[in-house]
Structures are given as structure tokens and as C-alpha cells.
Amino acid sequence: MAHYYKTIIAMMLMATTASAQENLQRGAIASQVKKSFTTVKELPITSVKNQYRSGTCWAYATLGYFESEILRQTGKTYDLCEMFVVNNDYMDNATHYVRMHGYSQISEGGSCDDVLEVIRQHGICPENAMPAPGSLTGDSLANFKVFFPELERTVSSIVTKNAKAPKAHWQDSVQAVINRYIGSCPEQFVYQGKTYTPKTFAESLGLNLDDYVSLTSFTHHPFNQWFVIEAPYKWRLKPSYNIPIEQLMDVLDKAIDAGYTVAWGGDVTGDFTRTGLAMLPEGVKPTQQLRQEQWDDWRFTYDHVMLIYGKATDEQGNPYYMVKNSWGQSGDFKGIWYMSRDYIALNTTYIFLNRHALNLNISTK
């Protein structure tokens, strides 16, 4: 029996290693590809930022999305504060963990819903109203290498085994760790000569927070219904509306054509290069069935959030999306990625957008 289990484990390790080697090989091949693009549609966005050594793509991408929404509606450019969102969201995450008696995840990751709910509940502030990312720990950008493990230890110690209640005053200890590494959120601040609180500043931006929805496409739930995507970083349990992938891609195309940017959450493993390209291997076709198979066997996961703001074509006329990343000026296109339409169709977990960008039938539902 012991020999049997050893054989099974060895086979599993061989399969895992082979899969990893295949992904590395595909990534190496893709990273050597050099392509040029012709812009078809490009919408205004704010500057590319750098999340650096922090798992906060969700905060950078979604605030970048809201910045582009403000730019679309008012023509005004804002630099909203990611660390304000992170501070409040990690405290909300800790509160959720305690309310779940420890049966929840403490994670750097998040989703577009986190940013929306932080702004709704706590407000927002401009970038310069808080310490610059990394400045409190002697770094030039956000670096959570020491911060998050300490936060994780602090939060996980609140709910002890066989405890009948969480540790007293646990909120103070959690908030102290967060504030020490990324700074305290301001109660009020001055912006362009006017004094605001985070909530009054959020109100001044002109965003209707009820306008934003999440769409997804999976077959383990019925289409044309809402469901909560079962992903570790979706701890707020906010539902997404489920539609066939062809319809979701049509929504994406029409939104961009109508002048709306779209926040994108999905998978960037395997065929997503560090050079600024994301495209599927030759012969791979995105289908509803393949999406579901890869989701169920973990080949496809939810691990990144970015901002889609335009369309382009390559030398052969193949369609791509222009995508703003949060890795600074990296890659061949200085922080911008070109992601093929097929790649997006296969690797999208959800899209997050203004409901006014939807056609009437979906918008009503």
C-alpha cells in the first residue's frame, strides 16, 4: 500500500512538473515574439502606476478604472490613493475573518468589488493625502514582504482554537499594524484649496456607485442569473451576472466602442509575458467548454486585475485589446499590454463596468 501511494505521488509530481515546464516553455517562446500594432480605438486613461512588491493589482486597476470614468464624465484628471483603499479593505477583510470565526482567507489579493465597497463605505482621498507607498518602511514603492506576514499573524491570532469569543480590542492591534506600514487614513485633508473628508471627497467626484456591475461566464451556474464567483480573492461574496462567453465578449467590444473603459479580472499565468504580450498558443481556441474545464482543474484561475482601454490589430489584422497594467513602465510598451481577443475570451474571470455601457436587455436584468 505504501509503495502504491508513493507511485501515485510520484506520478502527480511528474505531471505537475511537466505542466510547469510546458508553461515556462510557452512563456519563453511568447516572450521572444516581437509584434507591432495599429490602434483601432483608444480611450483616455490616467498614468501607469507600479504596485511593486504588493498584491494590490485590484486596488491599482480599479482606481485606475474609476479615474478613467471620472475623466470620461468630467474631463478632470485625478490621482486617487491606492493605500487608502488597501488600509480600509484589509481592516474589512480582518473583520470578515473574525465574523467567519476564522473560516475565511486573509490575503493581499482582492477584486473590483473591494474598491467599490471601500469608496461606498469609507470614501477616498487623493494620492498625496497619505504617505507615499513604501515610504514608512524605507522603500520607494509599496513593499509588503514584511508587512503582510505580520498582518496575517496578527489577524489569525484573534480567533484561537476552542475560543468562545475573539480577543478583546483586536481591532486596535490590527489597525496598528496596517497604519505602521502603509499609513493612517486622513480624517480630513485639503485638495485644491478646499477641505474634505474622505466621504465628501468621494461625493465630489461625481461617480454613481450604483452604476457598476460585474459580468462573468461559467457553466456551473445557469446563464442569465447572478452568482458569487468561487475564487479565493472574492471574499466579499458580491455576485456577478452570468452570460455566455460570446455575449460577454460582445459586451466588452461594444462598451469600448461606446467610449467606456472596462476593468478586467482574470488569469495571467502561462501565456502572459513580461514583455507586454498575451496570446494563446497556436491552435488553441477559446470555447465555453474549455473555459469551464480549465477553471475546474485549476489551469485557469483568478490572479490579476487590469484596465482595458482600447482595441488594436497586429500585422495580420488579428484583434487585440490595449490594457493598462500596474507593473510600472515594464515591458516593450512601457506598462501597456496587448492581449489577444482569444486570450481574453479564454482567461477572463469577470469584467467590471458601467451598466450604461450594456445593451438594454442585459442592463434591465
Side-chain angles (χ1 to χ4, degrees), residues 17 35 67 74 85 91 98 150 197 205 221 305:
T17 302
K35 299 183 74 67
E67 290 170 358
T74 69
V85 171
M91 194 66 205
V98 174
E150 183 174 337
T197 67
L205 299 177
H221 289 275
V305 185

Side-chain angles (χ1 to χ4, degrees), residues 2-23:
H3 175 73
Y4 171 78
Y5 283 124
K6 287 180 180 178
T7 303
I8 293 297
I9 292 170
M11 291 173 65
M12 291 172 64
L13 288 172
M14 288 172 61
T16 302
T17 302
S19 176
Q21 289 175 340
E22 181 182 355
N23 282 341

Side-chain angles (χ1 to χ4, degrees), residues 72-337:
R72 177 183 64 80
Q73 295 177 34
T74 69
K76 296 179 180 178
T77 299
Y78 285 87
D79 186 0
L80 303 178
C81 184
E82 290 81 14
M83 292 304 112
F84 179 92
V85 171
V86 169
N87 185 310
N88 284 285
D89 193 65
Y90 285 176
M91 194 66 205
D92 287 351
N93 186 211
T95 302
H96 179 76
Y97 179 88
V98 174
R99 286 176 177 158
M100 294 289 289
H101 294 222
Y103 290 97
S104 181
Q105 176 169 294
I106 311 163
S107 171
E108 291 184 46
S111 71
C112 297
D113 290 321
D114 291 271
V115 180
L116 178 68
E117 288 306 311
V118 165
I119 297 174
R120 191 193 305 276
Q121 295 173 26
H122 307 285
I124 191 65
C125 68
E127 181 73 13
N128 61 10
M130 283 186 66
S135 62
L136 297 184
T137 55
D139 211 325
S140 58
L141 293 166
N143 187 341
F144 289 4
K145 185 177 180 181
V146 176
F147 160 50
F148 205 82
E150 183 174 337
L151 180 64
E152 216 169 11
R153 289 191 297 271
T154 303
V155 176
S156 60
S157 71
I158 296 166
V159 182
T160 57
K161 187 176 181 181
N162 300 322
K164 296 183 178 179
K167 287 184 177 179
H169 310 295
W170 66 263
Q171 296 94 337
D172 296 336
S173 60
V174 172
Q175 193 66 68
V177 173
I178 296 172
N179 291 351
R180 184 163 70 251
Y181 286 95
I182 64 175
S184 302
C185 294
E187 293 183 7
Q188 64 177 30
F189 51 87
V190 176
Y191 181 77
Q192 296 185 349
K194 186 175 180 179
T195 300
Y196 294 92
T197 67
K199 285 196 172 183
T200 60
F201 186 69
E203 292 167 1
S204 75
L205 299 177
L207 296 170
N208 181 353
L209 299 179
D210 293 329
D211 277 345
Y212 299 98
V213 294
S214 172
L215 305 182
T216 190
S217 182
F218 291 105
T219 58
H220 64 285
H221 289 275
F223 288 135
N224 302 314
Q225 291 186 20
W226 296 87
F227 81 93
V228 176
I229 299 172
E230 304 92 339
Y233 304 136
K234 297 280 285 179
W235 62 270
R236 284 188 186 268
L237 308 180
K238 297 291 184 180
S240 299
Y241 194 70
N242 196 31
I243 57 178
I245 188 59
E246 295 85 0
Q247 193 174 1
L248 186 142
M249 295 303 296
D250 185 58
V251 166
L252 174 57
D253 285 332
K254 288 179 177 175
I256 295 171
D257 290 342
Y260 292 86
T261 59
V262 176
W264 177 88
D267 183 280
V268 296
T269 58
D271 309 303
F272 187 92
T273 76
R274 292 278 167 169
T275 62
L277 292 177
M279 50 191 181
L280 297 182
E282 189 174 347
V284 175
K285 297 297 180 185
T287 64
Q288 193 81 63
Q289 180 180 350
L290 182 58
R291 280 178 52 81
Q292 192 65 44
E293 289 173 357
Q294 293 194 165
W295 181 259
D296 288 339
D297 66 18
W298 299 359
R299 281 178 290 163
F300 160 36
T301 186
Y302 165 52
D303 58 13
H304 201 38
V305 185
M306 296 183 290
L307 174 63
I308 301 176
Y309 71 98
K311 293 180 179 180
T313 56
D314 67 6
E315 305 92 327
Q316 289 76 42
N318 299 312
Y320 281 73
Y321 294 100
M322 301 169 69
V323 184
K324 173 185 169 183
N325 204 349
S326 54
W327 295 348
Q329 299 290 319
S330 61
D332 293 344
F333 310 103
K334 299 188 182 301
I336 301 304
W337 258 249

